Amino acid sequence: MNDILFNIRHIRQRITDACIKSGRNPSEVRLLMATKTVAPDRIITAFESGETLIGENKLQEIKEKYDALKDYSHEQHFIGHLQTNKIKEIIRYNVDCVQSVDRLELAIKLNDRLKRERRNLDILVQVNTSGEASKFGVSPDKAVELVKQIAALDHLHIKGLMTIGLFSDDPEETRPCFTLLSQLRQQIINLNIAGVEMKELSMGMSGDLETAIEEGATIIRVGTAIFGKRVYPDSYYWNEQNPNQS
Ligand SMILES: *Cc1c(COP(=O)(O)O)cnc(C)c1O
């Protein structure tokens, strides 16, 4: 378990260094721990080191870990592909923010359900900045329109944008994805859409968090660099063709 504490300290240092390099305050960047496939005892170790924000990709894993984690104060975001038939349960499990809203149909159904339960939900709009067909997210040229449409849905509160970015060993190849997301945010801010906040930019992972911070990330999502390598390849979670995802 000590590896987790060591890794978190290392990530915190990387965040601080990247912030200093780009003239930002480290308090502007939140660390979200991507906990897919990570067992509750390891997540609890991370909580005990002071971390409080986790993200899951699958409803099934939220359910499985719920009882073990519920007594530890934390915030949970949903960062995976959300199917409309899972909406009811995502709301029931009190997810604090869905970072992966990428289509109007999903937003409308989420809003309908929330309305019935007289609740609201924070969301981010996920943008496919890499153009890879295998990645989820609204295409950049349709993102502004989608934000406008979702803004009209009273029970969804848009807090910003999220992207996964090009998967590459070289963060410089991913940088244009982050730049694009940052530009989209500015474009949306300039439109001054009622009810739309554009505070958050969720981008950057284990291999490219420095680049993302330089480009303005406010939430970085880190899995491997904290918890170690996963058994499943990321395509298991990200690929449209995979029938098992939720
Ligand atoms: C798994 C995952 C991450 C974290 O990726 P690592 O490379 O393990 O840091 C970030 N975002 C999403 C959407 C993920 O599914």
Side-chain angles (χ1 to χ4, degrees):
M1 291 296 178
N2 278 335
D3 58 327
I4 294 174
L5 302 180
F6 177 87
N7 291 344
I8 288 175
R9 214 170 299 150
H10 184 59
I11 290 291
R12 284 284 171 198
Q13 190 60 51
R14 284 175 63 188
I15 295 172
T16 302
D17 291 347
C19 284
I20 289 169
K21 192 178 162 200
S22 45
R24 300 184 61 196
N25 189 324
S27 68
E28 293 169 26
V29 182
R30 297 188 75 193
L31 171 60
L32 177 148
M33 302 185 296
T35 48
K36 54 179 178 267
T37 76
V38 179
D41 58 329
R42 291 172 68 77
I43 300 173
I44 288 167
T45 299
F47 287 158
E48 285 169 349
S49 85
E51 297 302 330
T52 55
L53 178 58
I54 58 174
E56 288 287 355
N57 293 64
K58 285 173 181 280
L59 172 66
Q60 189 55 36
E61 286 198 50
I62 292 179
K63 284 180 170 179
E64 285 166 8
K65 300 174 197 179
Y66 186 82
D67 280 335
L69 300 184
K70 71 176 185 316
D71 294 333
Y72 295 84
S73 148
H74 67 281
E75 189 177 331
Q76 179 152 63
H77 290 193
F78 190 77
I79 60 173
H81 181 62
L82 183 55
Q83 291 173 340
T84 49
N85 62 2
K86 303 279 166 68
I87 284 174
K88 224 165 103 176
E89 285 197 287
I90 280 290
I91 293 170
R92 186 189 306 154
Y93 277 86
N94 286 318
V95 168
D96 297 289
C97 175
V98 173
Q99 294 201 1
S100 45
V101 176
D102 61 355
R103 57 202 192 278
L104 187 59
E105 182 213 11
L106 173 65
I108 289 172
K109 289 187 170 161
L110 266 172
N111 190 67
D112 286 348
R113 185 74 214 174
L114 289 159
K115 187 175 180 182
R116 277 167 61 179
E117 300 195 10
R118 299 182 191 190
R119 292 173 54 180
N120 299 318
L121 180 69
D122 289 346
I123 63 151
L124 304 183
V125 171
Q126 181 176 356
V127 183
N128 180 352
T129 53
S130 68
E132 295 165 288
S134 62
K135 296 266 173 70
F136 293 106
V138 62
S139 73
D141 58 319
K142 301 208 170 73
V144 175
E145 189 56 31
L146 181 60
V147 168
K148 283 184 188 165
Q149 289 167 322
I150 295 175
L153 305 172
D154 287 341
H155 297 264
L156 296 180
H157 296 163
I158 305 182
K159 299 290 180 185
L161 304 175
M162 181 271 232
T163 198
I164 291 181
L166 185 74
F167 201 67
S168 166
D169 290 337
D170 178 5
E172 287 310 319
E173 288 185 8
T174 315
R175 187 187 295 274
C177 298
F178 300 150
T179 314
L180 177 58
L181 199 72
S182 186
Q183 287 167 346
L184 274 173
R185 174 172 68 166
Q186 195 52 53
Q187 204 180 321
I188 293 165
I189 290 173
N190 292 346
L191 290 173
N192 237 321
I193 307 165
V196 175
E197 262 182 75
M198 275 286 132
K199 178 172 173 286
E200 307 293 355
L201 274 185
S202 175
M203 58 190 197
M205 315 194 312
S206 293
D208 51 26
L209 65 93
E210 285 86 357
T211 318
I213 289 171
E214 287 166 24
E215 298 301 324
T218 64
I219 301 174
I220 55 165
R221 308 178 309 266
V222 179
T224 313
I226 294 175
F227 300 108
K229 279 205 170 20
R230 293 177 293 268
V231 176
Y232 295 116
D234 286 336
S235 57
Y236 178 77
Y237 288 89
W238 295 344
N239 197 315
E240 189 108 40
Q241 271 70 49
N242 187 324
N244 296 318
Q245 62 207 321
S246 49

